[in-house]
Amino acid sequence: MSLEASLFQRRRPLTTAELEVIPWLKRLLPHERERAVEDLKIANAQPGDFVCRTGRPATYWFGVIEGLLKMSADNAEGQTMTFTGVPPGGWFGEGTALKREGYRYNIQALRKSMVAGLHVDTFHWLLDHSIGFNRFVMNQLNERLGQFIAAREIDRMNNPNIRVARSLAALFNPVLYPGLGTVLRITQQELAYLVGLSRQRVNEALTTLAAQGAIQVEYGGLRVTDLQALRSAPF
DNA sequence: TCATTAAATTGTT
DNA sequence: AACAATTTAATGA
C-alpha cells in the first residue's frame, strides 16, 4: 500500500521542529512560505512501507522529516538496484512532479519514519512564483544526477569496504541533505540493506573505516570524521 | 530519580 | 544464521 493513498488522509499541522528540518522553506518569501506550510502534510511510515512505487502517478513531492528511506529501482532483469538512502532533510520526486508523470523509482522505509508531502499543485505554484524555490529544485536535480552516476559506479565495485564508504559519503551529501551534521543515525542492519551486503560484512567494513579514522562507530549510528576519505580513499 | 526489565543493536563465530 | 555482550528504552516504585 502506498502512503499517499492511506496516510495522508488525515492531516495535522507540522510542529516548528518538523518545519525546521525542511531545507527549502528557508528559501521562500513569507507569503510563499505560508502557502507551502498550509499545504504540507505529514505521515508515518513503518519499516518496509512503500512511500511511492515505480509507475504510480505523482500526486506528492516527498521529504523525510525523521527516519530513513531507501530509493531503488527494478531493472529489466527484475533485479533491484539501490540508488541511495534518504536521510532527514532529503526531498525526492521533483523530476516526476515536474513532468506530472509516474515515479521512476521505489521509495521504501528502512525504519519507522516521518514523511512530509507537498501536493504537486502547490509544487507547481511554487515553481511559478518563487525564485528561491526554483533555485532549490534546480540544485536538487543537479545533485541527484550526480548521485545516480555515483550509484552506478558504487554498484560496480566489488570491494565491500569501498562500497560501504562510498555509500556513506553519498548519504552525507551536504547539498541534498543539509542539516544532517556529522552524525547519522543508522543501524548496521539498515546500512546492510542499503548497500546490499550482509550485516556481518558491513560491520567488518565499518571497523576498517573506523581504523582508518574516516568514521567513528557508535551504538545505533556513526559519526563521520573524514568525509573526503570516504569519498576517495581506496581502503 | 533510580532500579529493574525488556528490547534493540552490536560484535563474533 | 545463531549466539552472547552491550546499549538504550520502558516501566514502575
Side-chain angles (χ1 to χ4, degrees):
Chain A
M1 69 218 92
S2 81
L3 270 196
E4 47 187 270
S6 53
L7 298 175
F8 278 149
Q9 296 282 334
R10 77 192 123 108
R11 52 190 298 173
R12 70 160 167 83
L14 277 72
T15 67
T16 43
E18 287 160 0
L19 291 174
E20 193 60 35
V21 187
I22 303 175
W24 48 267
L25 277 180
K26 296 177 182 61
R27 312 255 189 149
L28 306 185
L29 297 173
H31 74 282
E32 297 164 351
R33 182 191 159 97
E34 192 183 348
R35 179 149 180 171
V37 170
E38 166 86 6
D39 180 62
L40 277 172
K41 296 171 187 66
I42 196 145
N44 285 102
Q46 298 304 314
D49 280 356
F50 281 93
V51 176
C52 62
R53 308 182 95 119
T54 312
R56 294 288 187 80
T59 30
Y60 287 97
W61 184 48
F62 291 110
V64 181
I65 301 297
E66 197 185 289
L68 188 66
L69 309 182
K70 183 179 86 169
M71 184 185 291
S72 65
D74 300 318
N75 62 26
E77 294 93 61
Q79 301 240 312
T80 301
M81 178 176 180
T82 299
F83 287 125
T84 179
V86 189
W91 284 74
F92 52 89
E94 60 279 342
T96 304
L98 265 174
K99 297 192 282 183
R100 292 181 184 274
E101 290 177 342
Y103 294 109
R104 283 173 301 180
Y105 35 70
N106 295 314
I107 300 278
Q108 206 171 3
L110 280 178
R111 68 154 164 271
K112 202 164 166 288
S113 303
M114 203 180 287
V115 179
L118 186 77
H119 199 276
V120 239
D121 292 342
T122 311
F123 178 84
H124 273 93
W125 183 88
L126 283 170
L127 279 181
D128 290 340
H129 294 82
S130 170
I131 291 182
F133 190 74
N134 275 277
R135 287 236 175 81
F136 179 87
V137 172
M138 203 180 291
N139 220 6
Q140 178 94 356
L141 283 168
N142 190 40
E143 283 297 324
R144 185 82 70 213
L145 180 63
Q147 272 218 328
F148 279 13
I149 292 170
R152 293 202 52 166
E153 287 171 359
I154 290 172
D155 225 48
R156 272 181 245 201
M157 305 252 196
N158 39 17
N159 181 335
N161 287 345
I162 297 183
R163 284 188 61 130
V164 173
R166 301 291 191 272
S167 300
L168 278 178
L171 280 178
F172 278 92
N173 182 324
V175 178
L176 282 176
Y177 317 122
L180 188 67
T182 58
V183 288
L184 177 64
R185 278 222 45 184
I186 186 172
T187 67
Q188 300 182 2
Q189 180 64 75
E190 290 163 350
L191 193 54
Y193 283 134
L194 209 56
V195 183
L197 296 171
S198 70
R199 187 176 69 79
Q200 292 99 307
R201 198 58 192 78
V202 167
N203 178 270
E204 202 179 324
L206 288 179
T207 306
T208 306
L209 266 43
Q212 302 291 324
I215 62 169
Q216 278 176 254
V217 183
E218 296 173 6
Y219 182 87
L222 53 89
R223 180 183 305 272
V224 174
T225 45
D226 189 350
L227 183 54
Q228 200 50 48
L230 286 182
R231 290 212 183 95
S232 52
F235 295 101

